[in-house]
Amino acid sequence: MPKMLVLISILISGLAHAQDRSPIGDAKWMAERLSGVKISADNPLLTQMAARISANDRAGAAALATALPQFLNVTVKQFGAQMSSREETIREPLNDFTATIMGVTRDGTDARQLLYGDFLYAADPARIPAGITIPSVLVTDRLRSNAHYAALERANLDVGATLLRVDGQQIANSDTTSIPNPDPAGILTSRAFIAAHAIAGTNRRLVEYTFREFMCLPIEGWADTLGSDFRIGRDVDRFPGGDNNKFLTTCKGCHSMQDGFRGAFAKWDFADNSAVHVDNGVTTGGLQPRLDNGVIYKLNRPDFVQYAGGYRTSDDSFVNNATRGANAYTLGWREPAPDTSALSGRTNGVHAFGRLIAGSKRFPQCMAKRVWASVCHNELSSAEMESIYVSMGLNFENNGYNLKKLFEAVAIHPKCRL
């Protein structure tokens, strides 16, 4: 057969398959979208899924698909990897941030705890097959490097099945010792997230990317020029180019929002290849971090001063300036997410900040948006998509913030497969 005819035949065959709306065709589409890999047409799983679809139990069919190991190891891993780095790429190597999202999804844990829980996930030595070595020394392989997770990924294992929840976050205190993290906040205080956003800069990026990843809003999407400027740092010029009006109509909008929250991260840094927290001058990361006014030096650097009357950070308190106008509706602030730990009454630091974000209406809607992008690979009109995110966000809440159930609910949504 001529090459052109072969190509046409393949295209026609592929199109026909893509449009196959039979129970078996629907099962194959659903299984592949939830697993992230191609599924052979003769896989017995498809027959089981098709039977449930025929019985009008699409939710049951989706649950069979999320039982595949590839659901965690491909789809959820990529879902987490994209949020774990500044580059926002699915090709980011496995790290403590992504592994924790995988573990929380597998275990059906309330996903709000991702933003304030005192735990992370790592490999369970008892689940590693004989003959495979995964470096697992806490300080050298997890706190001061990504060696543990990189080796786990290279080992070609069912990573999702090997993960174990490790309660009690730690931070390095020397080359060989660690101390309890005094301000644990789930993946917001993971090594990967701190490394991506606390290195250099002035810690504003930690706030910016918390909103990007967990509220699905770039800084321009929640800037407000009418917000308070009281917390805006001394490094922000109030007369850029000699024009105060430029500050009032542009710079102020972003900095009012970022700088209000920035204090939550005032005691965090990334140094000596590890996350560093300063608590009453305690040495962490094997170094004595340079301080100014009791917080990480870079927040108040004298050589950065552009306006001496600006705010000088002195603790890890924060204020929420994003409560007026469109932000009040878009972000939907509510009470902080419930927490029964000893830290639940805290109003300072990243733990409290994470609880505030997790308790908002926007957080479940953002997770629905991210899951939709992972599974459906389509987008409708803006108005229709916003309606879907709201409804799927409510579904997520009603299911106890269970990420696996959210993936399943999205996969069976009638608009997911067009």
Side-chain angles (χ1 to χ4, degrees), residues 34-369:
L34 286 170
S35 70
V37 297
K38 289 291 183 182
I39 304 293
S40 172
D42 59 0
N43 191 313
L45 174 71
L46 299 185
T47 303
Q48 299 173 41
M49 290 178 63
R52 296 202 179 189
I53 291 171
S54 297
N56 201 31
D57 181 16
R58 292 177 60 79
L64 289 173
T66 56
L68 289 167
Q70 293 89 345
F71 168 65
L72 290 174
N73 296 324
V74 179
T75 302
V76 178
K77 176 183 177 293
Q78 292 179 353
F79 170 83
Q82 193 166 23
M83 291 187 280
S84 74
S85 72
R86 189 175 180 181
E87 292 73 25
E88 298 180 305
T89 172
I90 63 173
R91 296 180 179 85
E92 186 71 16
L94 183 69
N95 52 49
D96 56 351
F97 180 110
T98 301
T100 300
I101 289 181
M102 292 170 67
V104 163
T105 303
R106 182 197 67 192
D107 295 344
T109 306
D110 183 332
R112 290 176 296 181
Q113 293 182 28
L114 285 168
L115 302 187
Y116 60 84
D118 188 12
F119 66 90
L120 289 170
Y121 276 76
D124 181 356
R127 300 175 185 174
I128 302 298
I132 295 179
T133 300
I134 304 297
S136 299
V137 177
L138 175 62
V139 174
T140 57
D141 300 323
R142 283 174 43 202
L143 301 182
R144 286 196 148 178
S145 78
N146 195 49
H148 175 80
Y149 297 97
L152 188 59
E153 187 170 41
R154 287 195 306 268
N156 196 29
L157 300 174
D158 180 353
V159 174
T162 71
L163 294 173
L164 175 71
R165 174 171 166 145
V166 181
D167 288 312
Q169 289 190 5
Q170 297 280 311
I171 49 179
N173 192 44
S174 72
D175 289 340
T176 57
T177 62
S178 64
I179 58 175
N181 181 352
D183 187 22
I187 54 180
L188 295 184
T189 49
S190 64
R191 180 181 182 276
F193 197 74
I194 297 296
H197 307 305
I199 191 166
T202 54
N203 281 7
R204 291 183 175 96
R205 195 162 66 241
L206 286 157
V207 175
E208 177 187 358
Y209 274 78
T210 298
F211 273 78
R212 281 182 69 94
E213 311 306 353
F214 303 106
M215 303 290 248
C216 294
L217 284 172
I219 183 60
E220 298 82 5
W222 58 294
D224 180 4
T225 56
L226 297 181
S228 170
D229 65 357
F230 174 69
R231 283 272 184 152
I232 298 180
R234 299 184 301 166
D235 58 333
V236 179
D237 191 351
R238 271 41 166 204
F239 296 86
D243 184 3
N244 179 243
N245 190 57
K246 183 176 181 181
F247 164 77
L248 293 174
T249 57
T250 56
C251 313
K252 181 186 173 187
C254 294
H255 282 290
S256 173
M257 303 298 106
Q258 283 183 310
D259 288 29
F261 284 121
R262 182 173 65 140
F265 294 95
K267 296 187 176 184
W268 283 94
D269 202 357
F270 188 78
D272 201 21
N273 213 31
S274 62
V276 172
H277 181 275
V278 177
D279 190 25
N280 298 322
V282 172
T283 301
T284 62
L287 300 171
Q288 177 61 55
R290 191 175 181 184
L291 307 181
D292 179 276
N293 212 29
V295 300
I296 293 293
Y297 175 76
K298 60 184 176 181
L299 271 74
N300 296 319
R301 284 182 59 163
D303 53 325
F304 280 7
V305 173
Q306 299 289 326
Y307 179 69
Y311 185 76
R312 188 180 177 201
T313 304
S314 60
D315 58 25
D316 60 356
S317 65
F318 61 87
V319 295
N320 181 0
N321 288 327
T323 58
R324 58 169 307 281
N327 281 336
Y329 171 78
T330 301
L331 301 172
W333 299 112
R334 299 181 286 199
E335 291 297 314
D339 180 17
T340 58
S341 76
L343 301 169
S344 62
R346 182 176 293 186
T347 57
N348 288 16
V350 190
H351 181 84
F353 173 64
R355 287 184 60 210
L356 180 68
I357 299 295
S360 71
K361 290 182 181 179
R362 184 72 181 187
F363 169 66
Q365 293 170 14
C366 177
M367 292 300 97
K369 181 176 183 177

